[in-house]
Amino acid sequence: MASPLLLSISTPFRLSSPHRFPSLCNGATHSLRRAPSLPFPQPSDTPRLWRPSPCGSLRFVASVRAGGTSIGGAESENPLPDESPVGEDSAAFELREQKLSSWVYFTAILGVVLGALNILWISPSTGFGAAYIDAVSGLSENPEIVLLMLVFIFAAVHSGLASLRDSGEKLIGERAFRVIFAGVSLPLAVSTIVYFINHRYDGTQLWQLQNVFGIHELVWFSSFISFFFLYPSTFNLLEVAAIDKPKLHLWETGIMRITRHPQMVGQVIWCLAHTLWIGNTVAVAASIGLIAHHLFGIWNGDRRLALRYGKQFEDLKRRTSVIPFGAILDGRQKLPDDYYKEFLRLPYLTITALTLGAYLAHPLMQASSSQLHW
């Protein structure tokens, strides 16, 4: 199942560090880099515009006057405190900032994780995955009910651990908590995906539109677009592998201008497209479970960000929306003229290639899943 479910199990992760404000930790001062689409002012141009925050990074705390310093790049003669950027630049990737050793470690860790997943969960002879599926399947002979239970078990564990993140990180550290979070979520997600693939045509057929002209193209295009709504933290590959210290990010640019909860929007688009294509009760059950999980994530995600960032999140919330384009249409979000550049970045090029690859690999995914007999 080429769904955002699998890609969301270990969020946040990304391809590199985002553009941040300079750090003053341990007496080190770094120069400020400007993201091409964010016209931040120079610290020397505006007195008392920058100050250290408790976490050791400089935050944009003062109101900014005219000159395109608002988040939308609009000019104004009056102070606009609510227009000041408070979040990070989404999907930013600077090749010169990358360390070869970090990506070598990432590759090694990825190999170890996939090997352990195969031995401890997937393999019929040594893994616990089949026993888990058998236990859940034993509760009902109805594939729709079984799939809903698998989705809700994953959702409870995934969202539950996310809610415990602050206390968990204080107790055992960010990296250790990330290992537990991903280690528990990953096998549950794989089991749910494999079960869906194996049982996607077991339900009662409600409609059959696969031979209707244009339906295949509509479903393909919708599924393709849905992956561009991945939450920006999904790109933090070095953080999910705990090579970089995992952080709860406050993103502000890119897809966040369109919707504050892009993962939910992308999941809804993917579910509607696949339900339209398959057209049976199993697809409907999968969509109900996945969409319900992501709707809960709207409340839970905003709650966690409000607790972590306080007024900064409230400022960002006022100029963003849950409904796509809502804040843009009512004037709370102003897109810069070069907004498209916030998507012309390596992470989105990678997503394009992986999405096309996943489509072409559907026969392989289906054949591999069928061998597990889950």
Side-chain angles (χ1 to χ4, degrees):
M1 175 166 102
S3 166
L5 168 65
L6 180 55
L7 295 178
S8 70
I9 55 178
S10 48
T11 56
F13 76 92
R14 64 173 170 184
L15 290 176
S16 74
S17 305
H19 290 277
R20 296 189 181 87
F21 303 117
S23 171
L24 298 179
C25 298
N26 301 323
T29 303
H30 306 286
S31 61
L32 174 68
R33 292 187 178 89
R34 303 184 192 183
S37 58
L38 292 177
F40 295 152
Q42 292 283 2
S44 59
D45 296 339
T46 308
R48 301 194 310 169
L49 190 60
W50 309 85
R51 73 172 181 220
S53 71
C55 62
S57 62
L58 290 177
R59 296 288 184 187
F60 199 30
V61 295
S63 61
V64 183
R65 294 184 180 271
T69 52
S70 69
I71 192 63
E75 296 186 2
S76 172
E77 296 300 327
N78 299 317
L80 298 172
D82 291 337
E83 296 288 334
S84 305
V86 295
E88 298 177 75
D89 191 13
S90 305
F93 182 87
E94 291 290 341
L95 186 60
R96 63 178 176 270
E97 294 180 358
Q98 306 304 306
K99 295 181 180 179
L100 179 60
S101 58
S102 295
W103 290 104
V104 171
Y105 291 148
F106 170 79
T107 304
I109 291 173
L110 179 62
V112 171
V113 169
L114 293 179
L117 179 66
N118 181 61
I119 295 173
L120 298 176
W121 196 259
I122 296 177
S123 174
S125 58
T126 60
F128 294 94
Y132 169 67
I133 293 294
D134 290 342
V136 178
S137 300
L139 299 176
S140 175
E141 296 181 355
N142 189 314
E144 294 89 347
I145 299 299
V146 174
L147 184 57
L148 279 173
M149 288 191 292
L150 291 172
V151 171
F152 286 134
I153 290 171
F154 167 80
V157 171
H158 186 267
S159 295
L161 287 175
S163 299
L164 295 173
R165 179 174 180 172
D166 285 346
S167 56
E169 288 181 344
K170 291 177 182 179
L171 183 64
I172 62 176
E174 292 89 344
R175 288 184 170 89
F177 187 82
R178 171 53 51 81
V179 171
I180 294 174
F181 180 81
V184 175
S185 299
L186 181 59
L188 296 178
V190 170
S191 297
T192 306
I193 292 170
V194 170
Y195 186 89
F196 172 79
I197 293 175
N198 288 344
H199 297 270
R200 68 193 184 282
Y201 288 117
D202 287 353
T204 302
Q205 199 69 33
L206 302 176
W207 58 80
Q208 178 55 261
L209 302 176
Q210 294 184 4
N211 295 324
V212 175
F213 175 77
I215 290 296
H216 177 269
E217 290 73 17
L218 174 63
V219 171
W220 185 92
F221 181 74
S222 299
S223 300
F224 178 78
I225 290 297
S226 71
F227 283 89
F228 285 86
F229 282 86
L230 288 170
Y231 195 68
S233 291
T234 306
F235 305 131
N236 297 10
L237 293 176
L238 295 181
E239 288 189 18
V240 71
I243 296 169
D244 289 347
K245 183 180 293 186
K247 299 175 182 177
L248 180 62
H249 295 273
L250 185 66
W251 303 112
E252 183 155 14
T253 63
I255 197 66
M256 304 300 289
R257 298 184 190 271
I258 296 176
T259 170
R260 192 169 67 253
H261 291 278
Q263 190 87 9
M264 178 275 297
V265 175
Q267 186 70 78
V268 169
I269 294 173
W270 186 95
C271 286
L272 293 178
H274 281 72
T275 300
L276 177 66
W277 179 255
I278 297 173
N280 65 17
T281 51
V282 169
V284 171
S287 294
I288 290 174
L290 291 172
I291 292 174
H293 171 43
H294 283 76
L295 290 178
F296 172 78
I298 294 175
W299 171 81
N300 198 36
D302 281 356
R303 180 188 65 83
R304 294 169 56 217
L305 287 172
L307 289 174
R308 177 68 64 91
Y309 289 99
K311 184 181 182 300
Q312 290 174 297
F313 173 70
E314 295 302 324
D315 290 342
L316 184 143
K317 186 177 179 180
R318 278 192 289 272
R319 55 176 174 260
T320 56
S321 63
V322 175
I323 303 300
F325 302 101
I328 298 172
L329 293 175
D330 65 20
R332 292 182 289 118
Q333 174 68 239
K334 298 178 181 179
L335 299 180
D337 293 336
D338 57 354
Y339 174 61
Y340 68 93
K341 292 182 180 179
E342 297 179 5
F343 290 92
L344 297 180
R345 294 173 172 178
L346 183 59
Y348 285 109
L349 296 177
T350 304
I351 287 298
T352 300
L354 291 177
T355 304
L356 293 175
Y359 172 75
L360 297 175
H362 266 54
L364 177 61
M365 296 163 58
Q366 294 165 7
S368 300
S369 296
S370 64
Q371 294 178 6
L372 292 177
H373 306 291
W374 287 2

Short mmCIF file of all heavy atoms in Angstrom, two decimals, residues 10 125 205 211 237 281:
data_model
loop_
_atom_site.label_atom_id
_atom_site.label_comp_id
_atom_site.label_asym_id
_atom_site.label_seq_id
_atom_site.Cartn_x
_atom_site.Cartn_y
_atom_site.Cartn_z
N SER A 10 7.79 7.39 11.45
CA SER A 10 8.94 7.81 12.22
C SER A 10 9.18 9.29 12.10
O SER A 10 10.30 9.75 12.22
CB SER A 10 10.18 7.05 11.75
OG SER A 10 10.28 7.08 10.36
N SER A 125 9.69 -17.82 9.62
CA SER A 125 10.33 -18.78 10.52
C SER A 125 10.80 -18.17 11.83
O SER A 125 10.84 -18.85 12.86
CB SER A 125 11.53 -19.44 9.82
OG SER A 125 12.47 -18.46 9.40
N GLN A 205 -18.14 -5.65 -3.11
CA GLN A 205 -17.95 -4.64 -4.16
C GLN A 205 -19.11 -3.66 -4.13
O GLN A 205 -20.28 -4.06 -4.21
CB GLN A 205 -17.84 -5.30 -5.52
CG GLN A 205 -17.21 -4.42 -6.58
CD GLN A 205 -15.73 -4.19 -6.34
OE1 GLN A 205 -15.04 -5.06 -5.81
NE2 GLN A 205 -15.24 -3.00 -6.68
N ASN A 211 -12.85 0.60 -15.37
CA ASN A 211 -12.87 0.66 -16.83
C ASN A 211 -13.44 1.96 -17.37
O ASN A 211 -13.53 2.13 -18.60
CB ASN A 211 -13.67 -0.53 -17.39
CG ASN A 211 -13.00 -1.86 -17.08
OD1 ASN A 211 -11.78 -1.96 -17.09
ND2 ASN A 211 -13.82 -2.88 -16.81
N LEU A 237 15.73 12.63 7.51
CA LEU A 237 16.27 11.27 7.56
C LEU A 237 17.33 11.09 8.64
O LEU A 237 17.38 10.06 9.30
CB LEU A 237 16.85 10.90 6.19
CG LEU A 237 15.84 10.77 5.05
CD1 LEU A 237 16.57 10.51 3.74
CD2 LEU A 237 14.84 9.68 5.34
N THR A 281 -15.76 -2.61 0.31
CA THR A 281 -15.88 -2.29 1.73
C THR A 281 -14.53 -2.33 2.45
O THR A 281 -14.35 -1.63 3.45
CB THR A 281 -16.84 -3.27 2.41
OG1 THR A 281 -16.46 -4.62 2.08
CG2 THR A 281 -18.27 -3.03 1.95
#
